[in-house]
Amino acid sequence: MDRRAFLKTSGVVTTASLVAFNARPVSAIGKLDAATTRQQSIGTVRTWHFLDLWRFDHFDNLQLRQGQPEWQANATYSEPHIGSLSGWPTVFRDEESGRWRMLYSADWKPYSLMVAESEDGIHWQPLPQPHIKPAGGKRAPHHLFTLPDGSGGGVYLDPVAADGFPFKVFVHQHGQEVVERAIADPARRWHEIAKEEGAKRYVADEFALVSRDGLHWEARYDMQWSQTDWHPEPPIFGFFNRHTGRHQMTVRPGWGDRRQCIQSTSDLLNWSGPEMLLQPDALDEELIELYGMPVFPYGDGYVGLPWIFHCESTEPTRGFNRSVGPLDCQLAFSSDGNRFTRGFRTPFIHRNEPGQHGGGAIQPSSLVETDDQIRIYSAATKLYHGKGREARRLGVTDNASILLHTLRKDGLIYLESEGDWGRFMSKPLVLLEDSLTMNASAPHGEVQFQLTDMESQPVEGFTFNDCLPLVSTDSVAASLRWETGRLSDIVGRIVRLEVRLRHARLFAIRGNFHFIDAQDRWMIEDGKSIVT
């Protein structure tokens, strides 16, 4: 891997560094030709989310804070077919109808796909499909597909869909159907055991369910994602890695082993095999397990929502592992989709009060960004994980449901001043187009900003005194402007962005910019391309 490719994947620079500058004489020290810059990069927008402290060179009287999604109680979706170990919704807008769709499973086993529809993505109704006849009979008018003796995860919305199937579910199956396939094919892993001994719990297949429209489903047994000696249990989640162009999945390292692995494929037929991704470590303050982790694109990187199973107990473990306890989720982040870091190690989506939906467990499985908010859809139960039978004994007929939490756009992590003015200065960057916006909330506060040079000296016309501050402002896209300074004069020049705020929150900065390293600086000052 060459230097630039490494820096890109390690998060030192963003993909904006792929802009190819022609080698031309600089018009000023530390400045590239603006016309060349605009020609090469027009239309690219990067988002600086404050997921860590890497891109700061100065940070004073500020705190990184974790957003707190708000439960929308009136959006709770509850219907009698959702079991206590299922749900795991996937939400999207249907292109043909323009309405919102939600696919979810009614049971952990057998895996039973259901569909609901909504005008606003908030209030849902089952979507009847009377012409679809699932194997084993139709449980409800909105029942789409049943995988006997099977289990799975959330629906993977494949953005490439080179095979013509934009909807996929990675599933596990055991039972008589698996035995019959193994007996019929001498090349299968379980052929001899199935022929001599029949069904065994470990005699299993892992493959994919696929659909062209999200309604009509079929099994693709050739899409085998497991290995000869590796047959883990669901939940399993897929996502697309925009950096590598590969499909990826988060999955457990083994049956009953509640940690998180990752593997990838270019064709959905040949998988890389699992690599350890996340497991409990010394920074965890209690005994937990990582039950599952759906992953979503977020800005220039990725966000994971690891499900945290709080399973510590004074009772001895009976069976293979612990099965009773509450579930919530934390945040994890990645710049490349391969390496993830768990952030604050505190609940991101908190469980609700006892007796409420989500009072026992919350398992988020779908994150959708709109123009002004983030929506997170979760499977939820009133009782703890492992208490499904107790729910039935107590007569809790609505133990399971699907919940919606909402959050401000870019609101996973934000900056907030501690008292009076808080202040930060960025690492050096190059502005590639003449636009910068902020997602900021200061309804009774103020945000000021300036540009400095490499020596941290304010640039004339772009000082705090020259800026048009954001006062009593709440906007997801507030423009950074100065009285006389024009960003078009700064395009291609190495600068730092300095911001100070009080009684305000800053969620993100957007523009076409590239954070440089020292080699970039030397090459830019020599008028050389910073791309090899």
Side-chain angles (χ1 to χ4, degrees):
M1 179 181 293
D2 63 28
R3 170 183 171 274
R4 183 59 58 193
F6 168 75
L7 292 176
K8 177 189 171 194
T9 58
S10 63
V12 176
V13 296
T14 70
T15 51
S17 64
L18 296 180
V19 176
F21 296 117
N22 293 331
R24 294 191 180 186
V26 293
S27 54
I29 295 297
K31 191 176 190 304
L32 289 170
D33 183 84
T36 300
T37 315
R38 282 192 289 269
Q39 177 184 3
Q40 296 291 339
S41 60
I42 192 71
T44 302
V45 177
R46 306 295 172 192
T47 303
W48 180 9
H49 284 126
F50 310 115
L51 307 181
D52 53 41
L53 299 177
W54 170 240
R55 292 193 172 100
F56 299 102
D57 262 346
H58 180 74
F59 197 82
D60 180 51
N61 199 34
L62 291 171
Q63 284 291 323
L64 280 177
R65 300 200 188 279
Q66 184 170 270
Q68 296 184 354
E70 181 180 355
W71 176 40
Q72 304 300 322
N74 66 337
T76 299
Y77 179 73
S78 180
E79 54 108 330
H81 301 285
I82 305 177
S84 59
L85 274 176
S86 60
W88 303 341
T90 298
V91 174
F92 60 97
R93 190 182 289 276
D94 178 62
E95 292 183 2
E96 184 174 338
S97 68
R99 296 166 66 89
W100 292 89
R101 290 269 176 89
M102 177 166 65
L103 297 169
Y104 61 97
S105 175
D107 278 316
W108 188 77
K109 189 180 72 172
Y111 190 74
S112 305
L113 272 171
M114 318 291 272
V115 62
E117 192 174 59
S118 171
E119 287 281 359
D120 55 10
I122 299 173
H123 305 93
W124 297 90
Q125 294 293 329
L127 179 62
Q129 299 294 311
H131 61 290
I132 296 178
K133 309 295 183 183
K138 201 169 180 72
R139 300 178 52 174
H142 58 298
H143 181 196
L144 301 176
F145 184 90
T146 298
L147 180 66
D149 293 310
S151 51
V155 175
Y156 168 40
L157 303 178
D158 180 353
V160 179
D163 55 6
F165 296 101
F167 302 89
K168 297 179 173 73
V169 182
F170 302 114
V171 295
H172 167 101
Q173 185 184 34
H174 56 260
Q176 191 57 38
E177 288 192 6
V178 176
V179 170
E180 292 173 2
R181 289 195 296 270
I183 292 174
D185 183 359
R188 283 186 176 268
R189 163 73 171 86
W190 306 112
H191 175 72
E192 293 298 330
I193 294 177
K195 185 170 64 174
E196 296 178 7
E197 303 181 44
K200 296 288 185 180
R201 184 65 183 267
Y202 50 81
V203 174
D205 274 349
E206 289 76 28
F207 50 93
L209 309 178
V210 299
S211 174
R212 297 185 188 278
D213 59 5
L215 301 175
H216 301 82
W217 290 83
E218 60 186 89
R220 283 285 302 272
Y221 301 111
D222 59 324
M223 290 185 176
Q224 181 177 319
W225 53 265
S226 60
Q227 304 292 316
T228 301
D229 59 348
W230 178 60
H231 304 273
E233 67 181 313
I236 307 142
F237 294 98
F239 69 98
F240 185 72
N241 189 316
R242 299 163 296 172
H243 292 75
T244 64
R246 294 174 67 87
H247 309 277
Q248 299 194 175
M249 104 173 19
T250 54
V251 58
R252 296 179 180 183
W255 191 277
D257 187 340
R258 300 187 187 114
R259 296 176 292 167
Q260 290 301 299
C261 284
I262 193 167
Q263 67 167 348
S264 67
T265 178
S266 61
D267 57 9
L268 293 156
L269 301 175
N270 302 284
W271 289 83
S272 63
E275 296 182 15
M276 184 55 63
L277 183 64
L278 294 174
Q279 63 183 18
D281 58 36
L283 296 181
D284 291 304
E285 296 182 355
E286 61 169 319
L287 191 62
I288 64 163
E289 294 179 341
L290 296 170
Y291 201 96
M293 189 178 80
V295 173
F296 313 95
Y298 185 67
D300 295 332
Y302 307 84
V303 59
L305 299 178
W307 302 351
I308 306 300
F309 183 32
H310 303 270
C311 51
E312 195 164 27
S313 175
T314 57
E315 296 296 318
T317 303
R318 295 180 173 87
F320 175 74
N321 58 7
R322 292 153 294 181
S323 63
V324 176
L327 277 155
D328 51 35
C329 87
Q330 296 178 359
L331 281 175
F333 300 104
S334 174
S335 60
D336 62 5
N338 290 314
R339 291 164 287 270
F340 283 78
T341 301
R342 289 165 61 200
F344 286 84
R345 307 295 178 100
T346 57
F348 173 57
I349 297 181
H350 293 259
R351 287 179 293 115
N352 291 329
E353 294 296 315
Q356 292 182 328
H357 290 290
I362 294 182
Q363 299 169 305
S365 59
S366 190
L367 185 151
V368 178
E369 295 187 72
T370 68
D371 290 340
D372 60 357
Q373 69 177 195
I374 296 172
R375 297 177 178 179
I376 302 173
Y377 300 85
S378 307
T381 56
K382 291 182 175 180
L383 277 71
Y384 288 170
H385 177 281
K387 290 294 184 179
R389 291 181 181 177
E390 185 168 332
R392 291 190 290 272
R393 181 180 65 82
L394 295 173
V396 182
T397 58
D398 61 345
N399 180 45
S401 58
I402 292 173
L403 306 187
L404 169 65
H405 290 76
T406 59
L407 193 66
R408 181 192 183 96
K409 184 180 180 68
D410 304 315
L412 300 185
I413 303 289
Y414 60 89
L415 290 175
E416 186 171 37
S417 56
E418 284 284 80
D420 200 359
W421 289 102
R423 182 168 177 160
F424 74 78
M425 178 183 290
S426 77
K427 290 184 179 296
L429 58 87
V430 174
L431 191 64
L432 306 178
E433 290 187 61
D434 58 353
S435 175
L436 281 175
T437 64
M438 281 184 178
N439 182 345
S441 176
H444 303 292
E446 184 173 358
V447 182
Q448 299 179 358
F449 35 86
Q450 72 176 8
L451 298 178
T452 71
D453 59 20
M454 282 288 298
E455 306 305 321
S456 302
Q457 297 302 306
V459 177
E460 185 177 353
F462 294 89
T463 68
F464 284 129
N465 291 333
D466 297 317
C467 80
L468 301 177
L470 307 181
V471 181
S472 300
T473 299
D474 193 343
S475 173
V476 298
S479 295
L480 274 60
R481 296 181 295 144
W482 289 262
E483 291 181 355
T484 59
R486 298 292 178 263
L487 286 176
S488 56
D489 297 330
I490 299 297
V491 168
R493 181 171 174 177
I494 298 175
V495 294
R496 301 176 187 269
L497 174 64
E498 191 170 359
V499 177
R500 62 186 185 188
L501 60 154
R502 61 179 174 183
H503 201 47
R505 293 176 175 178
L506 183 57
F507 297 89
I509 296 173
R510 285 189 170 84
N512 191 354
F513 46 78
H514 161 53
F515 284 92
I516 69 166
D517 62 11
Q519 182 168 316
D520 287 331
R521 176 194 179 182
W522 302 327
M523 295 181 71
I524 288 171
E525 291 178 349
D526 254 1
K528 299 293 192 299
S529 168
I530 60 172
V531 179
T532 57

